[in-house]
Amino acid sequence: MLLSQNSPDRKTLFVDVILPIAIPKTYTYRIPVQWNERIKIGIRVIVQFGRSKLYSAIVKRISSDVPKLYEAKYILDIVDNQPIVTGKQLDFWAWMSSYYMCHIGEVMQAGLPTALKLESETLISAVSNEQLNRDELTDKEYMIVEALDVSEELKIGDVVKLLGQKTVFPLLRGLYDKGFIHISEQVSKKFKPRVKKYIELHPNVKTEDEKRKAIEDLNNAPKQQDTLLAYIHLARKKSKISRKKLMETAQASSAIIKALGDKGILREYEEAVSRLDKNQKLISSNFILNDEQKKAFDETFSIFEKDKVALLHGVTASGKTQVYIRVIEHFIRQGKTALYLLPEIALTSQITERLKIYFGDQLVVYHSRFNENERVEVWEKVLNKKCKVILGARSAIFLPFQNLGVVVVDEEHESSYKQYEPSPRYHARDSAIYLAQMFDAKVLLGSATPSIESYYNAKSKKYGLIELKSRYGEAAPPELEIVDIKEKTRKDQMLSYFSSPLMEAIQNALLQKEQIILFQNRRGHSTFLQCKTCGHVVKCVNCDVAMTYHKTSNLMHCHYCGYSDSSPQLCTACGSPSIQSKGYGTERIEEELELLMPDARIARLDLDTTRGKYGFDKLINAFEDHEIDILIGTQMVAKGLDFGRVSVIGIINADSIINFPDFRSYERAYSLFSQVSGRAGRRDIPGKVYIQTYSPDHRVLKQVLGQKYLDMFAAEIKERKNFHYPPFYRLIRLEVRHTDIYHCESSAHALATQIKEYLKDRVLGPEPPLVSRVRKNYLQVITLKIERTGISIKKVKEMLKDTLLYFQADKKHKGVRVYIDVDPL
């Protein structure tokens, strides 16, 4: 029974909601009395914010407190019957908002899948499926679908106008659930299992007589007849014949296989196969840990008895993944859920497949580039406790966990765990540690080259430390050789970009049917074009950075804003035709190598060659199947790849990484060179790594050569302490942006002066960064170095928030934007 307006039992409720926009506070709305029983914390409600915008907001708090400074509007509708966000998630969002100094709406925007964030600007599109029955739709649902027949996409605001009502979200949710519409403008990528093509006899050709007749019928097609005979011969030895094997044995083309298929003699089929077939000992679900792994496993749980976080420092190919699996199994048996974080899902499909072997349907994969249907499906599985292991990149920390038991952070040193744009600029490793504490869960960090901060925490007893010092099985560590480019050039022992030792190793590997990986940390053909006459360099019109020439597109590209333009024939400054290409990227390395080794099968692995939906998987599959001899790549080749036949690794130029102007450059160089080197000799084939450099005596290269992580750590930690860097000091980076350089500089100086009144000499800058103009905005950077003792970081952040509020309210700084990055990388 509904209560009357004057009923003494009538209770007016208000809700504080989180809107998916960058506003400093939650906003309060009034609940219609008839919905009092339906309202719950964590559900979505439809609200109007501003003059006409509609949003689905998350209920954070329910109370009877009337807002004092404004009149609360009524909520327009309730989307969910049950919460889609848990209480712990809301607490986690609040912590992230506070720690990373961003708005909680920005955290919601980052955390919720797009399909769960409905607003009036959201696009909807029709699903093309002829089997969908429109007869089951209501009149209003039918009107929406009919409108989509005319227009490919509609904004939700258009649907509001079409129906003449604001409460359209339940209708759209119904159409979404029935499969008629797609609420997303993002087309994304999904983990795809590897499939292999096989050949079998057609069902009409099974008996010996039928085989003989088929052979006789092909007397006028000798190539097809030879192919059929080759298949019959192979089938006596193997139960399954791959298409590739048959074509190699019979020297047959795809057209011959197709012709035999058209004649109903052979039939092609696909079957999912493991990428790890060549290493069966790794894919058995009942594998046994070796002595060192067993010791590491026991030490992990010994640490977990007293500490929350453990660091597993294991050399490349030491079998860290197997330890992770056994740790996860332990927590699953206790009824807990496990989160397995990876720096980049697209680069670690081998890990995905390996975990599927062990955990099967208990495993779900979550990634920001999955399509929205898949992301919502995973979200609901985690919320309803229908999975045990979640494998994901950094965005997986936002899932609605219920009973989290352990978090594994693989390759914890990777910078990919850091979110740069947009806000919140969080670090998934650090955020995962806080998330685990909320559940009283354990954290296992793993890396062959731990970050300086993590290893320092382990050495200072904040984290437990476990070590795996030898490679798994019989795999020996690769042999490393430093090649002095300057010396080889003087002796005329450089062939293009390749030294004589590297070329000789490549040729020998090709003769032995082994594979080679070449690492060059720049994509494109030429890193910049320069006029020989006046020295002018072709730069981006939006950014203060040289444009990179890409030969495949024959265009100049800016790697900061995405702008592209045709390659100039004349210098835009002096008109001279003397335009020279300088520097080299992966395209140029590929081009030169094709000229030097025309018979080698060469491919590139970089952002340009993996843009397609399954571009990365196709390249990796081809490399694993030995369809590629030499793989040239950027940092992608260093992340989590496991190949059995790679015997030679070549780092073309180590100097650009070592000499990058950043306090982490030596740490990153050591990590990257070690990780790239770790791709070689991972099975029974010995590996050799060649590092080409102009600085052969550099201490980082000597540390890599001797695999002396502890020496690198000792040198770096001393430098960090002397110059006030993490882990001894906290960093906060303020980036001031404006389209006018003078306005940007004056505002940055004004802001720095205000902050210095409180923090004194802890404030550095402002100063322009290495790239001082991006997307038509000039940049100035202010860096704060805050010691970890003697000052409250909480009070520092409160001061910063207050200072920024006054700064942004001042009309002198109109149009100036300030971005905060806590713990920048």
Side-chain angles (χ1 to χ4, degrees):
M1 181 176 72
L2 292 176
L3 298 173
S4 69
Q5 294 289 330
N6 300 318
S7 168
D9 297 324
R10 183 176 183 272
K11 186 177 182 181
T12 301
L13 295 179
F14 295 86
V15 288
D16 296 342
V17 302
I18 304 170
L19 290 155
I21 52 178
I23 57 174
K25 298 180 180 180
T26 55
Y27 209 73
T28 304
Y29 288 85
R30 187 172 179 175
I31 303 296
V33 67
Q34 65 270 27
W35 289 346
N36 280 2
E37 296 299 320
R38 292 179 58 194
I39 202 72
K40 297 172 185 174
I41 291 174
I43 67 171
R44 289 173 298 168
V45 293
I46 304 304
V47 297
Q48 181 177 329
F49 187 78
R51 297 184 63 183
S52 58
K53 284 276 282 185
L54 300 179
Y55 293 96
S56 60
I58 297 291
V59 176
K60 187 175 187 290
R61 177 174 171 264
I62 304 169
S63 73
S64 54
D65 301 337
V66 182
K68 294 178 181 178
L69 302 178
Y70 58 92
E71 184 180 349
K73 300 175 185 177
Y74 281 99
I75 66 167
L76 300 176
D77 211 335
I78 295 176
V79 180
D80 308 300
N81 293 323
Q82 297 297 326
I84 65 160
V85 175
T86 68
K88 275 195 168 64
Q89 269 183 297
L90 292 173
D91 293 341
F92 182 58
W93 290 3
W95 170 82
M96 186 171 279
S97 170
S98 171
Y99 186 85
Y100 290 105
M101 300 187 68
C102 61
H103 303 306
I104 196 167
E106 293 175 311
V107 182
M108 173 187 171
Q109 186 75 3
L112 276 184
T114 301
L116 296 179
K117 295 177 300 201
L118 305 176
E119 56 181 271
S120 51
E121 296 301 312
T122 299
L123 292 176
I124 64 168
S125 56
V127 173
S128 56
N129 188 342
E130 296 177 359
Q131 296 180 350
L132 292 172
N133 183 12
R134 297 189 180 188
D135 295 339
E136 64 186 34
L137 300 179
T138 65
D139 291 343
K140 289 183 177 179
E141 287 175 336
Y142 192 86
M143 285 176 66
I144 297 170
V145 173
E146 201 172 45
L148 285 170
D149 289 339
V150 179
S151 177
E152 289 185 4
E153 292 181 331
L154 289 175
K155 290 180 181 178
I156 292 182
D158 299 331
V159 180
V160 170
K161 293 177 184 176
L162 174 70
L163 300 181
Q165 64 182 60
K166 289 185 177 179
T167 55
V168 299
F169 291 91
L171 289 169
L172 295 174
R173 179 59 191 253
L175 286 171
Y176 178 81
D177 291 340
K178 293 171 184 175
F180 280 88
I181 63 170
H182 184 54
I183 308 177
S184 170
E185 58 265 49
Q186 183 179 357
V187 179
S188 50
K189 175 173 166 180
K190 172 184 179 180
F191 169 74
K192 184 181 179 184
R194 181 185 179 192
V195 295
K196 201 168 185 178
K197 293 181 178 179
Y198 290 94
I199 301 294
E200 64 180 2
L201 287 171
H202 194 276
N204 296 331
V205 188
K206 289 293 184 184
T207 66
E208 291 300 319
D209 290 339
E210 289 167 345
K211 291 177 189 176
R212 277 195 293 271
K213 184 177 185 306
I215 294 169
E216 291 170 2
D217 290 343
L218 294 173
N219 283 333
N220 294 327
K223 278 287 186 184
Q224 294 177 29
Q225 191 179 59
D226 290 346
T227 303
L228 177 58
L229 288 168
Y231 173 85
I232 293 170
H233 178 73
L234 287 170
R236 290 177 185 147
K237 300 177 182 177
K238 291 186 175 182
S239 57
K240 289 183 181 179
I241 312 300
S242 71
R243 185 177 187 270
K244 180 186 173 187
K245 181 68 175 176
L246 177 59
M247 290 173 68
E248 286 177 353
T249 304
Q251 295 184 342
S253 64
S254 298
I256 293 172
I257 301 294
K258 185 178 184 301
L260 288 168
D262 293 341
K263 291 177 180 179
I265 297 173
L266 294 181
R267 187 169 68 175
E268 187 177 297
Y269 68 98
E270 289 184 346
E271 192 173 284
V273 296
S274 170
R275 290 181 172 84
L276 306 168
D277 282 341
K278 297 172 187 173
N279 192 21
Q280 293 292 336
K281 62 188 175 186
L282 287 179
I283 68 166
S284 170
S285 60
N286 57 358
F287 67 84
I288 298 173
L289 298 177
N290 64 24
D291 291 342
E292 193 178 19
Q293 289 173 318
K294 182 69 168 62
K295 182 183 176 186
F297 177 83
D298 293 338
E299 286 179 358
T300 299
F301 282 95
S302 176
I303 289 167
F304 282 165
E305 288 179 3
K306 58 183 185 299
D307 295 322
K308 300 284 187 184
V309 184
L311 172 64
L312 175 57
H313 179 199
V315 299
T316 54
S318 59
K320 293 186 292 294
T321 305
Q322 292 171 307
V323 177
Y324 300 153
I325 289 167
R326 287 293 184 245
V327 169
I328 289 171
E329 287 174 341
H330 173 87
F331 284 95
I332 288 177
R333 285 195 294 269
Q334 294 181 345
K336 299 287 188 178
T337 300
L339 171 61
Y340 192 130
L341 285 177
L342 291 163
E344 178 59 65
I345 290 291
L347 301 177
T348 45
S349 52
Q350 292 173 320
I351 297 292
T352 304
E353 190 167 336
R354 186 176 298 178
L355 293 186
K356 280 186 177 291
I357 292 167
Y358 302 120
F359 302 113
D361 294 338
Q362 292 181 312
L363 174 77
V364 295
V365 182
Y366 189 81
H367 190 270
S368 59
R369 283 185 288 176
F370 276 20
N371 71 48
E372 294 309 316
N373 291 334
E374 292 164 331
R375 295 187 74 201
V376 171
E377 184 182 340
V378 173
W379 186 279
E380 290 175 347
K381 279 186 176 181
V382 176
L383 184 64
N384 298 316
K385 304 180 185 178
K386 292 184 178 178
C387 58
K388 293 292 185 183
V389 184
I390 297 93
L391 176 69
R394 60 176 183 256
S395 58
I397 64 172
F398 292 108
L399 285 166
F401 300 103
Q402 300 288 321
N403 55 347
L404 191 61
V406 66
V407 179
V408 174
V409 185
D410 197 10
E411 308 293 352
E412 65 84 26
H413 66 277
E414 276 287 348
S415 59
S416 303
Y417 283 121
K418 175 71 174 179
Q419 165 80 8
Y420 293 98
E421 292 287 347
S423 189
R425 295 169 180 83
Y426 66 95
H427 197 297
R429 177 198 62 209
D430 302 339
S431 300
I433 291 172
Y434 183 85
L435 178 69
Q437 288 177 354
M438 294 176 66
F439 287 88
D440 195 29
K442 307 299 183 183
V443 180
L444 180 57
L445 309 176
S447 175
T449 55
S451 64
I452 296 294
E453 289 88 341
S454 293
Y455 199 75
Y456 176 79
N457 286 335
K459 298 301 283 185
S460 58
K461 308 300 182 184
K462 186 177 178 181
Y463 299 166
L465 179 63
I466 311 116
E467 293 183 305
L468 285 171
K469 297 181 179 179
S470 58
R471 286 190 157 201
Y472 182 84
E474 299 175 0
E479 182 184 344
L480 277 73
E481 181 176 331
I482 305 295
V483 180
D484 186 348
I485 298 176
K486 188 165 56 177
E487 181 68 13
K488 294 297 180 186
T489 303
R490 187 181 67 80
K491 292 181 177 179
D492 198 24
Q493 293 178 349
M494 290 292 294
L495 195 59
S496 183
Y497 306 113
F498 313 100
S499 62
S500 51
L502 178 57
M503 283 299 293
E504 186 179 337
I506 291 172
Q507 291 165 347
N508 289 337
L510 292 174
L511 289 173
Q512 299 295 324
K513 305 295 183 184
E514 294 165 358
Q515 293 173 294
I516 302 99
I517 291 177
L518 299 179
F519 171 74
Q520 171 61 14
N521 202 33
R522 285 180 180 263
R523 60 190 174 98
H525 185 272
S526 307
T527 51
F528 63 98
L529 298 186
Q530 186 174 35
C531 175
K532 187 179 180 181
T533 304
C534 71
H536 173 72
V537 174
V538 180
K539 289 191 174 183
C540 174
V541 297
N542 302 318
C543 309
D544 184 24
V545 66
M547 295 182 75
T548 302
Y549 174 62
H550 288 246
K551 194 170 184 179
T552 49
S553 63
N554 196 29
L555 293 172
M556 304 290 294
H557 291 268
C558 173
H559 292 171
Y560 281 80
C561 71
Y563 173 78
S564 61
D565 198 2
S566 57
S567 178
Q569 300 302 311
L570 301 174
C571 175
T572 54
C574 71
S576 169
S578 305
I579 303 290
Q580 291 183 322
S581 60
K582 300 282 187 176
Y584 51 92
T586 49
E587 273 189 19
R588 185 72 168 266
I589 298 297
E590 181 184 33
E591 180 184 72
E592 293 291 319
L593 207 55
E594 284 173 343
L595 292 173
L596 295 171
M597 297 183 170
D599 296 330
R601 298 168 296 178
I602 304 168
R604 256 187 312 122
L605 182 69
D606 56 26
L607 190 62
D608 299 320
T609 59
T610 56
R611 290 187 190 277
K613 190 170 185 182
Y614 300 116
F616 181 85
D617 282 337
K618 287 177 182 176
L619 270 171
I620 294 304
N621 290 345
F623 194 64
E624 286 178 324
D625 288 338
H626 209 170
E627 295 170 10
I628 297 169
D629 298 316
I630 305 173
L631 187 65
I632 303 162
T634 55
Q635 289 190 41
M636 287 184 172
V637 299
K639 298 182 181 180
L641 300 176
D642 187 1
F643 302 117
R645 298 197 61 80
V646 174
S647 62
V648 174
I649 300 280
I651 297 173
I652 303 300
N653 188 344
D655 302 294
S656 60
I657 299 164
I658 295 173
N659 297 324
F660 190 79
D662 185 86
F663 77 93
R664 297 183 193 273
S665 60
Y666 289 179
E667 175 193 0
R668 285 177 176 157
Y670 180 92
S671 174
L672 192 57
F673 297 155
S674 297
Q675 294 286 342
V676 172
S677 302
R679 303 310 110 203
R682 293 178 73 90
R683 303 285 194 272
D684 52 353
I685 297 174
K688 186 74 182 281
V689 180
Y690 297 85
I691 303 177
Q692 299 186 159
T693 176
Y694 286 96
S695 309
D697 295 324
H698 198 286
R699 72 165 172 86
V700 170
L701 294 178
K702 290 185 175 180
Q703 288 159 358
V704 172
L705 189 65
Q707 298 182 16
K708 296 178 179 178
Y709 173 83
L710 293 180
D711 288 358
M712 185 277 294
F713 173 79
E716 287 300 296
I717 207 71
K718 184 178 179 181
E719 293 282 307
R720 301 280 183 93
K721 189 172 185 178
N722 290 340
F723 294 99
H724 297 178
Y725 282 111
F728 302 101
Y729 279 67
R730 288 187 172 94
L731 297 186
I732 299 177
R733 186 176 189 264
L734 305 178
E735 188 174 87
V736 182
R737 300 183 191 177
H738 196 271
T739 53
D740 181 84
I741 186 170
Y742 300 109
H743 197 171
C744 180
E745 287 177 355
S746 63
S747 294
H749 279 280
L751 179 58
T753 300
Q754 292 177 39
I755 298 172
K756 283 177 182 177
E757 290 179 8
Y758 182 82
L759 293 178
K760 311 299 181 188
D761 58 357
R762 298 181 182 91
V763 182
L764 303 181
E767 59 185 3
L770 189 62
V771 178
S772 59
R773 182 170 172 262
V774 175
R775 295 184 178 92
K776 298 185 178 179
N777 280 283
Y778 290 94
L779 313 179
Q780 288 284 316
V781 171
I782 302 167
T783 303
L784 312 183
K785 291 184 176 181
I786 313 297
E787 59 268 37
R788 290 186 174 269
T789 57
I791 187 169
S792 168
I793 189 66
K794 184 178 179 181
K795 288 183 178 179
V796 169
K797 289 178 179 178
E798 287 173 356
M799 178 278 301
L800 270 180
K801 285 184 179 179
D802 292 341
T803 303
L804 286 172
L805 280 174
Y806 285 115
F807 174 83
Q808 290 163 342
D810 191 335
K811 291 182 180 179
K812 288 189 297 186
H813 308 303
K814 186 178 180 182
V816 175
R817 290 170 294 163
V818 181
Y819 296 88
I820 305 175
D821 190 358
V822 177
D823 301 336
L825 286 184

